[in-house]
Amino acid sequence: MLNIFFFPFLILFFGLLNANTKKIKCKGANHMMWNDCIGSVAKNGTAYVGEFKNGLYNGKGTFTYSDGATYRGEFLNGKESGMGEFNCWEHGSNFKGEFRNGEKDGFGVYKYPDGVIYEGFWKLGKRHGKGTLKYVDGKTKSGIFEDDYFIGK
């Protein structure tokens, strides 16, 4: 099981090092002291590889959660912020779009495990604003969502 996550982790790590030559490899064991560098941290079943600033995940990186789910994209002050992609391998869901402070926030596309797709706006992790649900049978529902609920056209 460790090999399943470890080898892709190493490949991604070295790929990031080569892709962004402006950043240097982080030095020292205490990641809270890392600044303007690329490094990796593994703790409590999670792993992060990417850019650091002032000891926090900052810039481009990949975070792997303890259940195997991954987020690959931009970080700001230790949280998912900016464009990114979240994959939950256990459930089969996928989100590509904007994040802010660790939540889906802005425009994005979410593919639910049952095949339903929501394309539209998010606020604080919930569907909010103009959006479209596309069902597996081909039907669609377009309009305004508030606090994760469809309220109408």
Side-chain angles (χ1 to χ4, degrees):
M1 177 102 166
L2 177 63
N3 289 340
I4 292 171
F5 295 109
F6 184 69
F7 289 116
F9 180 77
L10 283 178
I11 291 168
L12 178 63
F13 177 68
F14 289 111
L16 280 173
L17 282 177
N18 291 331
N20 190 349
T21 57
K22 294 179 184 178
K23 300 281 183 179
I24 60 169
K25 183 178 178 189
C26 299
K27 293 181 173 38
N30 183 358
H31 74 86
M32 295 306 293
M33 303 299 290
W34 294 351
N35 193 34
D36 291 326
C37 59
I38 296 176
S40 62
V41 173
K43 61 182 178 180
N44 301 326
T46 66
Y48 172 79
V49 62
E51 298 175 287
F52 284 82
K53 185 171 185 173
N54 299 322
L56 299 173
Y57 313 152
N58 210 84
K60 293 180 182 176
T62 299
F63 187 87
T64 303
Y65 300 84
S66 60
D67 67 355
T70 59
Y71 169 82
R72 182 176 55 187
E74 298 172 308
F75 289 81
L76 181 64
N77 299 322
K79 295 186 178 182
E80 301 91 333
S81 290
M83 294 303 294
E85 179 175 0
F86 175 83
N87 286 294
C88 181
W89 307 110
E90 185 176 342
H91 301 110
S93 61
N94 170 275
F95 176 80
K96 291 181 186 177
E98 297 176 78
F99 289 80
R100 190 167 293 118
N101 289 322
E103 304 257 15
K104 295 182 283 292
D105 201 291
F107 184 81
V109 178
Y110 190 92
K111 295 179 182 176
Y112 292 89
D114 62 2
V116 173
I117 298 171
Y118 172 76
E119 184 173 340
F121 289 90
W122 297 78
K123 184 175 180 182
L124 299 173
K126 296 180 179 181
R127 297 172 295 187
H128 194 87
K130 188 176 180 182
T132 301
L133 278 169
K134 299 174 187 174
Y135 296 95
V136 179
D137 64 6
K139 294 180 183 176
T140 63
K141 186 186 291 187
S142 294
I144 303 299
F145 290 77
E146 280 187 14
D147 201 29
D148 227 21
Y149 293 97
F150 181 76
I151 60 165
K153 295 186 179 202

